[in-house]
Amino acid sequence: MAEPLLRVEKLVRRFGGIIATDHVTLEVPRGELHAIIGPNGAGKTTLIGQLTGHLMPHSGSIHLAGRDISRLPAYRRSALGLARSFQITCLLADFTAADNVALAAQARAGHSFRFFGDARKERGLREAAMSALERVGLADRAGVVVSRLSHGEQRELELAVALATKPQLLLLDEPMAGLGITESARMVRLLSDLRKEVTIVLVEHDMEAVFALADRISVLVYGRVIASGTPDAIRQNEEVKRAYLGDQHVVVRHG
Amino acid sequence: MKSAFNVRHLVSVLLVAGLLLLPLYSHLTGNVFVLTLFTRIVILALAAASLNLIMGYGGMMSFGHAAYLGIGGYAVGILAQEGIGSGFVQFPVALAVSAFYALVIGALSLRTRGVYFIMITLAFAQMAYYVASGLARYGGDDGLTIYKRSDFAGLINPGNRVQFYYLCLACLLVVVFLIWRIVNSRFGLVVQGLRSNEQRMQAIGFPGTRYRLVCFVIAGTMCGLAGALLANNTDFVSPAVMYWTRSGDLMVMVILGGMGTLFGPVIGAVAYLVLEELLSQVTEYWALIMGPLLLLIVLFGRGGIMGLLGRLSRG
């Protein structure tokens, strides 16, 4: 079998006496949209933090395209093609939308120890930025400062920034967080489009979106993966039902 | 927005024009003092502009920036003392030593953020102050008199008031020009991005500390130039130029003029030092008036003088 794009093996992360990530093993083959779900406090954010390099695991390993990245800092992982969006919007608030995306493109266009030329006039960077903005439907908002964008637009911009780094793997940490119904629907359409181009790991609370989009789903409870499989298999899984889906927290929205 | 930009533009142009014509005014009115005062203002404006690069654009609140004034000054003073009078040696050495100091201090202090960064840069500058105080051979506490100004092989005569003033002004304008290019370059956008949101910048692949450190070194080198000029201006260098209150003065100039604006620190330096001069003529207790005045500007004039100008033209 070919090497999966993302291979996580026996990952462990503790906070004091609490094991937030308990021997998590995951494989995401190229081209898959893999969703990670789990109730609040299941350790989803801790897991994402370790994948992106903001948190270091205590043991276990993470491989990206066969390469061990378990100990690399965040910026090195990004350079290897791992992009992320943040659960809580994390953008350069006093920069324009175009600047945010252009900087992401700049991070992939050689080093940035260039002190003299006007970076905002570099056509390559601006074009890359515009095409990423068009991709998420924000082209007409390019010149607007981020702090003046709506929450929904900021979520879309997060995605554009991630795309502009030309990732192999996109880690999306609750991209629907705080979105209204129409905005969510737009985001789902956008993601179902993007999945054709890039491998995606999606952490999301919106169950409807997850079951509509995912090829496979891993269920995280108390830091452990209790089940991993297709959406249908997860729906049928007794342990998942008991631990999670049967729970009243789950909102399976219709319409 | 557009008109705000234009008013700021206008004020900056007027300021530069005024500085360029100042020797003429001094000559016509026979007022020599104003030229002496403004030479010092121009030099400190250069120092403030360099501080603005890291503080305003880079978000690095260095509280030890005056150290470079001393380092640049001592480079000139010590070389002069040892019989090396050529400015073509003194100035490059002043810049190189400042850059090296910035590299070492930056590599250590840029691991920290916020208050810790402020304290650690302050601590290093105070260390430099005490080291200079201990240099018995070079005057120690009392400072070092420079008997002969830097020699530029007849190209420029620093002993001539007007020539020296224009040398300082040219240095200031070149530095402001360089800062303008830098903040709009790829490098400058990365540094400003790091100020805005470091986590985001790392997530898109920028190793933050490396870019910050280079910015820190550039600013330190520029301020070293101001130090070398200042020593020439006063014919003297002493540990006092590195004292923490001097670093504070530079910070006040930057904040007063407007952090993160190109000409803000220059306007801030002019306003601060002219005000200091005028008030000290009125009363010995000028600081009693200056303090509350600065407080008002910081409290009500967010963005300093440049911020006020922006709001005035918009309102």
Side-chain angles (χ1 to χ4, degrees), chain B residues 54-279:
Chain B
I54 49 175
M55 194 165 107
Y57 292 106
M60 294 171 258
M61 291 289 166
S62 168
F63 200 173
H65 210 62
Y68 304 101
L69 287 178
I71 290 167
Y74 270 101
V76 169
I78 290 174
L79 285 174
Q81 173 97 338
E82 301 299 341
I84 300 168
S86 168
F88 297 117
V89 177
Q90 289 176 348
F91 274 66
V93 168
L95 297 188
V97 176
S98 300
F100 181 72
Y101 175 82
L103 187 66
V104 174
I105 300 311
L108 294 169
S109 53
L110 285 171
R111 296 160 183 273
T112 64
R113 296 280 177 276
V115 177
Y116 301 99
F117 181 76
I118 296 177
M119 296 316 284
I120 203 166
T121 49
L122 170 65
F124 278 120
Q126 286 300 91
M127 249 167 65
Y129 168 81
Y130 286 112
V131 166
S133 301
L135 292 175
R137 181 177 164 80
Y138 301 109
D141 248 347
D142 300 329
L144 177 63
T145 301
I146 299 165
Y147 293 100
K148 201 169 167 299
R149 287 191 175 185
S150 300
D151 177 15
F152 287 100
L155 220 60
I156 300 162
N157 176 14
N160 177 303
R161 266 202 197 87
V162 174
Q163 285 191 28
F164 184 64
Y165 173 80
Y166 276 120
L167 173 67
C168 296
L169 186 57
C171 287
L172 172 65
L173 294 179
V174 167
V175 161
V176 169
F177 172 75
L178 287 178
I179 291 174
W180 174 60
R181 298 305 305 189
I182 288 171
V183 296
N184 288 303
S185 71
R186 280 188 173 203
F187 175 79
L189 290 190
V190 172
V191 168
Q192 289 166 83
L194 287 165
R195 177 200 63 199
S196 179
N197 190 335
E198 182 167 11
Q199 195 182 23
R200 164 47 75 194
M201 292 300 281
Q202 297 212 332
I204 59 178
F206 288 110
T209 308
R210 219 171 288 173
Y211 287 92
R212 277 208 173 95
L213 181 58
V214 172
C215 187
F216 195 78
V217 170
I218 293 172
T221 311
M222 286 171 170
C223 195
L225 173 63
L229 291 171
L230 193 64
N232 268 290
N233 186 43
T234 46
D235 301 310
F236 179 70
V237 58
S238 80
V241 295
M242 295 196 256
Y243 202 58
W244 66 273
T245 53
R246 303 302 298 273
S247 296
D249 287 342
L250 292 179
M251 284 178 113
V252 169
M253 289 173 203
V254 174
I255 295 166
L256 181 65
M259 276 205 289
T261 61
L262 197 58
F263 276 97
V266 181
I267 292 176
V270 172
Y272 182 76
L273 294 168
V274 167
L275 211 61
E276 181 187 85
E277 191 57 43
L278 292 178
L279 288 177

Side-chain angles (χ1 to χ4, degrees), chain A residues 83-119:
Chain A
R84 75 170 297 186
S85 76
F86 289 84
Q87 179 181 3
I88 295 158
T89 307
C90 183
L91 294 159
L92 310 174
D94 48 351
F95 283 57
T96 64
D99 282 347
N100 268 270
V101 188
L103 264 168
Q106 187 182 315
R108 285 299 157 279
H111 65 80
S112 285
F113 288 105
R114 294 195 200 166
F115 302 93
F116 218 67
D118 192 331

